[in-house]
Amino acid sequence: YPLFEQSIRKAKGRNVRDHQLALGRLFAPFTEIAAKNPYSWFPTARSAEEIATPSDRNRYVGFPYTKYLNSVIQVDQSAAVVMTNVKTARELGIPENKWVYLHGGAEANDIWNVSERVNYHSSPAIRTIGRKAFAQAGKTAADMHAIDLYSCFPSAVQIGCAELGIAEDDPRGLTVTGGLPYFGGAGNNYVMHSIVTMMERLRAKPGQFGLVTANGWFVTKHAAGIYSTTPKLGAWERENPAAYQAEIDAMARPAVVPQPNGAGTIETYTVVHDRDGPKFGLILGRLANGSRFVAHSEAKPDVFARLIENDCMGAPGRVTAGPKTNTFVLD
């Protein structure tokens, strides 16, 4: 996810510090919603500056992400959904004011191996499922009254916004729970919580529509659902995901060289930290012929500092193959 973040920063044309503050501004509203949610694991509102600025309590995890920009899987939470048809709901005596209908849904995967992605700032799969789910519901993003985008890390939210046509500062907000870093959510079970919370929101405001998205692995597996207390009119017709998955799988992608040697440039990178500081630099780069490689940076404090303090996207250097790990040396 920090690899995706660096690519997003480059696509937006921002320097390191400006983008860091933008991440704080993106997630500060999430903390405010989490602070008001009685089920949140971390119910603390934080400013954009506090979220974005490294400190003793907010160290880097994978640069450019500080601790407050990371989801935390060690939570103790549970949620449940009862899913049935109208006939069974009536037989069970479930009051109609609790019924919420699925109006549109779709699922797709991006190219499975991260090293083979078309780029690191977009998601053809999210773009596709958004188009399919909205078409099935007969709605657009503008018709949604409430939104919950999967929010494990800022890059997932930004890519979701870009592909679904939703502004990052949308006044409707981008979460109904407070998001994974602040509300919580044990792995992908977060989406159970976001669906439940969306159901409660829609029951309180009958007739409105809500969008919930899901994500697994590394912006890899995606799903979207559109919900409302208003019954869906007409027959339920869901397109087989295999039909549009084939288009994504067939997309052109760079060749990956497992044992690279020679001149290259950084396509995206991160510096992974532990509690004692920088641990290693991870680089995805391109050779002169356009093929892609994966490597570590030199494990030197001055190299880590250069990668963190400077914009090294596109920086030149040389990569050398190793028995276990390739090494990229900056010029």
Side-chain angles (χ1 to χ4, degrees), residues 39-42 72-79 183-186 189 193:
Y39 303 113
S40 290
W41 204 251
F42 302 103
V72 179
I73 200 170
Q74 287 83 12
V75 297
D76 184 6
Q77 297 174 309
S78 62
F183 165 78
N189 192 52
H193 295 272

Side-chain angles (χ1 to χ4, degrees), residues 129-201:
I129 65 170
R131 186 173 70 251
K132 299 295 184 180
F134 285 131
Q136 184 184 10
K139 299 292 179 181
T140 68
D143 296 320
M144 300 299 102
H145 299 88
I147 299 166
D148 195 278
L149 300 184
Y150 196 87
S151 53
C152 52
F153 299 93
S155 53
V157 175
Q158 292 167 92
I159 291 172
C161 283
E163 301 295 11
L164 296 170
I166 298 169
E168 293 177 16
D169 60 352
D170 194 297
R172 295 169 293 185
L174 303 177
T175 181
V176 294
T177 65
L180 278 89
Y182 316 112
F183 165 78
N188 278 6
N189 192 52
Y190 167 78
V191 181
M192 184 76 79
H193 295 272
S194 57
I195 290 173
V196 169
T197 307
M198 184 64 75
M199 301 304 99
E200 294 171 343
R201 173 76 68 90

Side-chain angles (χ1 to χ4, degrees), residues 207-244:
Q208 292 192 351
F209 282 79
L211 168 69
V212 175
T213 69
N215 166 33
W217 286 108
F218 311 109
V219 190
T220 306
K221 302 184 291 183
H222 307 282
I226 297 170
Y227 304 89
S228 179
T229 58
T230 301
K232 179 175 172 59
L233 301 178
W236 175 264
E237 294 180 0
R238 177 175 180 266
E239 185 176 351
N240 185 345
Y244 48 83

Side-chain angles (χ1 to χ4, degrees), residues 12 17 27 43 45 56 58 71 73 78 97 103 115 118 129 140 165 188-189 211 219 244 253 271 280 282:
K12 291 178 179 288
R17 182 56 183 165
F27 266 13
D56 291 341
N58 190 36
S71 59
I73 200 170
S78 62
N97 62 4
H103 282 246
S115 60
V118 176
I129 65 170
T140 68
N188 278 6
N189 192 52
L211 168 69
V219 190
Y244 48 83
R253 65 196 75 177
V271 179
F280 63 89
L282 179 60

Side-chain angles (χ1 to χ4, degrees), residues 6-7 22-23 36 73 107 119-120 154 197 209 217 220 264 292 301 317 321:
Q6 296 279 59
S7 184
L23 299 183
K36 299 173 183 177
I73 200 170
E107 61 185 79
N119 61 53
Y120 298 112
T197 307
F209 282 79
W217 286 108
T220 306
R292 186 177 277 150

